[in-house]
Amino acid sequence: MANLPTVLVTGASGRTGQIVYKKLKERSDKFVAKGLVRTPEGKEKIGGEADVFIGDIRDVDSINPAIQGIDALVILTSAVPKMKPGFDPTKGGRPEFIFEDGQYPEQVDWIGQRNQIDAAKVAGVKHIVLVGSMGGTNPDHPLNKLGNGNILVWKRKAEQYLADSGTPYTIIKAGGLLDKEGGARELIVGKDDELLQTDTKTIPRADVAEACIQALLFEEAKFKAFDLGSKAEGTSAPTKDFKTLFSQVTSRF
């Protein structure tokens, strides 16, 4: 067990975060896993073990205990829009989405991610993997209208902050997330939202999670940012060689 890297995944009770946490736990020959969640319910949801910390990323002091002593940080926190109560699907139209007070993208995706990056830097963390989203090059992207939150604008600001931080980083801008089996598709890397114009613009959450963990293992993933999509299942051989995949990436932001 000596000298295994300790990896903290934040947003560990989220839909992609919990897959990363589980994968880290399964690979206890390579990693010591830690998780950060916002609530006691979130902690229970992923097994309630002592390696799961509760903290609020908007308050740097509350996340410091989780960050102490870690070697790598995987950031999977994100603001989540809620459907406005009272929507009746039988009446047609579209549901309205809102963010809860204090849980807007500016507070979660910008301030909360900046706090994590700053705390990790102070703690001497050697690698930060940040999961962002494709679509950030377009300020008029429909996702920015959700709850008037400008979510992709704030996510992109955090991505830029990490790229400028001096800490080795990998920024994975995921395509549309699918709740499908991982390890069954060929993964495609791109830049500047070019994949959004193709039919490879979606990716299973489990494949995003796997890419996060593989990024921790290869120098080729450091100081790089890339869009990540996939080909349809069954159309090509699934990606197994992540070193080669990361080697294709040349962009730093």
Side-chain angles (χ1 to χ4, degrees):
M1 287 302 285
N3 296 340
L4 288 181
T6 297
V7 182
L8 172 68
V9 54
T10 64
S13 63
R15 287 191 292 174
T16 310
Q18 57 184 294
I19 305 174
V20 173
Y21 175 72
K22 185 165 176 273
K23 282 177 178 282
L24 287 169
K25 298 282 279 186
E26 284 165 358
R27 295 177 208 182
S28 54
D29 58 323
K30 286 197 173 73
F31 306 105
V32 177
K34 283 166 82 171
L36 178 75
V37 297
R38 190 165 52 103
T39 63
E41 296 77 44
K43 177 169 178 163
E44 284 314 305
K45 184 164 133 191
I46 58 169
E49 291 191 43
D51 59 24
V52 179
F53 293 73
I54 298 169
D56 184 341
I57 59 168
R58 298 168 303 171
D59 166 20
V60 104
D61 292 337
S62 85
I63 63 172
N64 272 329
I67 286 175
Q68 293 319 303
I70 67 170
D71 297 291
L73 170 66
V74 180
I75 300 179
L76 266 160
T77 48
S78 179
V80 181
K82 302 261 192 291
M83 200 186 290
K84 205 169 176 177
F87 175 67
D88 181 355
T90 61
K91 297 210 169 96
R94 291 189 161 179
E96 252 189 279
F97 285 91
I98 53 173
F99 290 97
E100 291 176 351
D101 263 359
Q103 295 292 333
Y104 272 78
E106 181 178 359
Q107 291 136 332
V108 178
D109 295 279
W110 166 232
I111 296 165
Q113 307 215 80
R114 188 183 70 196
N115 283 343
Q116 295 176 69
I117 294 161
D118 288 346
K121 198 170 170 175
V122 170
V125 169
K126 299 192 256 311
H127 190 184
I128 299 176
V129 178
L130 173 68
V131 176
S133 172
M134 276 196 249
T137 61
N138 173 14
D140 298 321
H141 195 287
L143 281 178
N144 286 325
K145 312 249 182 325
L146 277 185
N148 294 324
N150 276 328
I151 190 160
L152 296 182
V153 175
W154 295 114
K155 281 186 187 291
R156 191 166 174 82
K157 200 170 158 77
E159 290 163 7
Q160 183 72 65
Y161 188 80
L162 175 57
D164 294 339
S165 70
T167 299
Y169 64 88
T170 307
I171 297 167
I172 300 175
K173 302 176 205 190
L177 295 167
L178 308 171
D179 290 311
K180 297 198 164 162
E181 186 193 348
R185 294 171 172 237
E186 182 184 351
L187 306 186
I188 306 290
V189 293
K191 66 176 185 355
D192 297 332
D193 291 334
E194 288 160 4
L195 294 181
L196 291 178
Q197 310 308 320
T198 70
D199 58 2
T200 57
K201 61 178 179 279
T202 58
I203 181 163
R205 288 176 190 279
D207 287 324
V208 175
E210 185 62 34
C212 290
I213 290 181
Q214 294 289 338
L216 299 170
L217 298 171
F218 294 108
E219 285 298 314
E220 287 81 1
K222 285 183 178 163
F223 296 106
K224 288 185 179 176
F226 53 91
D227 299 345
L228 188 64
S230 66
K231 291 190 178 174
E233 201 173 316
T235 57
S236 53
T239 296
K240 300 267 186 281
D241 178 358
F242 280 84
K243 184 177 175 135
T244 298
L245 185 75
F246 297 142
S247 297
Q248 295 168 17
V249 178
T250 54
S251 40
R252 293 177 66 93
F253 173 61

